[in-house]
Amino acid sequence: EAGSLGSGGRTMTTQGALARAAAALASSAMARVSRLALQTREVGRSASAMAASSASRKVASFTRGYSGYLSNNPRRGRLDFGRLENYENALYGLMGVNTVVFASWQVVSPTFMLKHFACSTEAIRNFRPHTLLTSMFSQFDFGHFAVNMLGLYFWGRDIGQLLGGRRLLALYLAGGLAGTVVQVGLDYANQREYKWGQPRERYCLGASGAVNAIVTLNILLFPKSTVLLYFFIPVPAALLGGFFLARDFSGLFDGNSGTSHAGHLGGAAAGLLYWLMRFRRFY
C-alpha cells in the first residue's frame, strides 16, 4: 500500500509539472502573439504615416507648381473680363451673338424660339424673365437684322472707342432691357379685353432698343457731326435724332403699327440717362 501511495504521489507530481509547463508555454505564446500584434499595429501606423506624408508632399508639390503657373500666367485660373476692355471684342461679340440667334430663328423650332427669345406679358407671368434679355438679340426678319447690325457697327465704334468695350456692352444691355420693359409695360396697360398673363399675339423682340441707346448717346455727345442717311444724304446728327424721336412718339398712337416704338423710346431714354449721369457736367 505504501508503494502504491508513493507511486500515486509521483504520478500527481509529474502531472502538476506538466500542467505548469503547459501554462508557461501558453503564457509565452500569448506574449509572442501580443508582441506580434503590437508590431503589426506599429507597422500599420508607420505605413499610414508614410502614405499621408507622401500625399502631403504631392499636394504641396502640385500647389507650388500651380501657384508658379498662375504667377507666370496671371489671367489663368479666373474669369477674364479684360478682353472686353477692347471695344472691338465687345462690338463684334454683340454682333456675333445677334447673328447666332437670328440663324437659330431659321433652323430651330419657332415655338421654342418664340417661347424663350421673345418677351411678352405672358412670358413674364409664366416665369420666363430670361426673355427680357434674350429678346434683345432676336430680330423679326433679315431687314430688321441688317438695319440693327449696321447701326450697332457704325454708331457702336465711336462709343466703344470713347468708353471702352465693357461700357459699350453695359450700355447695349441697359438700352435693350429698358426698351423691353417699356414695351411690355405698355402692352399690359393696353390690355383691356385681356387679363394679365393671358397669351397674346403681340411679342416684343429686337435689338432696336439697345441700338437706340448707343445712337442717342452718340448724338448727344456729337450733335454737330454729320451722318450720311441712306449712305449718301448728309444730315446733322441732332436733326436726325429729332426725326427719330418724332417718328417714334407719333408711332405710339398708331394701333396698327407692328413697330415697337415704345421700345425705341425706352432705349433712347437709357442713352439719355447715361449722358446725364456721366457727361452732362462737362457742358
Side-chain angles (χ1 to χ4, degrees):
E1 292 178 359
S4 176
L5 289 171
S7 175
R10 287 193 298 272
T11 300
M12 293 176 63
T13 302
T14 302
Q15 291 176 348
L18 290 174
R20 286 193 296 273
L25 288 173
S27 176
S28 176
M30 291 295 295
R32 290 182 179 179
V33 170
S34 298
R35 287 196 298 271
L36 181 61
L38 179 62
Q39 291 174 356
T40 302
R41 286 195 297 270
E42 290 177 351
V43 170
R45 286 196 295 268
S46 177
S48 299
M50 291 177 62
S53 177
S54 176
S56 299
R57 287 195 299 270
K58 290 180 179 179
V59 170
S61 176
F62 174 79
T63 303
R64 286 194 300 270
Y66 188 64
S67 299
Y69 174 73
L70 289 180
S71 63
N72 294 326
N73 301 271
R75 294 193 180 278
R76 300 284 184 178
R78 66 176 188 270
L79 292 176
D80 182 12
F81 294 101
R83 294 182 180 180
L84 287 179
E85 197 58 45
N86 183 337
Y87 82 93
E88 290 184 336
N89 291 336
L91 179 62
Y92 294 138
L94 287 171
M95 296 178 67
V97 173
N98 275 276
T99 302
V100 170
V101 174
F102 177 73
S104 298
W105 275 92
Q106 316 308 313
V107 297
V108 180
S109 167
T111 302
F112 174 85
M113 296 300 294
L114 191 65
K115 183 176 181 180
H116 294 286
F117 285 84
C119 194
S120 66
T121 58
E122 179 270 332
I124 301 302
R125 178 64 179 82
N126 287 284
F127 303 103
R128 299 199 303 275
H130 58 277
T131 57
L132 291 169
L133 176 67
T134 56
S135 62
M136 71 178 72
F137 295 97
S138 298
Q139 317 296 332
F140 180 72
D141 55 22
F142 181 77
H144 192 202
F145 169 76
V147 169
N148 280 333
M149 292 304 99
L150 285 173
L152 176 61
Y153 177 74
F154 287 109
W155 300 89
R157 285 189 308 171
D158 293 340
I159 297 301
Q161 289 175 352
L162 179 65
L163 303 180
R166 282 186 288 186
R167 289 190 175 91
L168 173 65
L169 175 60
L171 182 60
Y172 180 97
L173 296 176
L177 183 61
T180 303
V181 169
V182 169
Q183 183 61 60
V184 172
L186 182 63
D187 288 344
Y188 169 62
N190 290 334
Q191 287 178 352
R192 293 187 177 89
E193 67 276 22
Y194 295 95
K195 295 181 180 179
W196 166 257
Q198 190 173 0
R200 290 172 53 86
E201 294 182 359
R202 185 177 180 85
Y203 289 88
C204 177
L205 56 88
S208 300
V211 174
N212 267 24
I214 295 172
V215 172
T216 300
L217 180 60
N218 197 312
I219 291 175
L220 290 171
L221 291 174
F222 312 106
K224 298 181 180 180
S225 62
T226 300
V227 180
L228 293 179
L229 184 62
Y230 303 117
F231 298 102
F232 64 90
I233 304 176
V235 179
L239 180 61
L240 183 63
F243 170 76
F244 285 157
L245 287 176
R247 181 198 61 182
D248 286 324
F249 271 115
S250 64
L252 290 176
F253 304 98
D254 184 1
N256 296 322
S257 175
T259 302
S260 177
H261 296 287
H264 294 176
L265 294 173
L272 172 62
L273 181 61
Y274 188 90
W275 177 75
L276 290 173
M277 294 175 60
R278 184 173 175 83
F279 295 102
R280 184 66 183 89
R281 63 181 180 273
F282 296 113
Y283 289 85

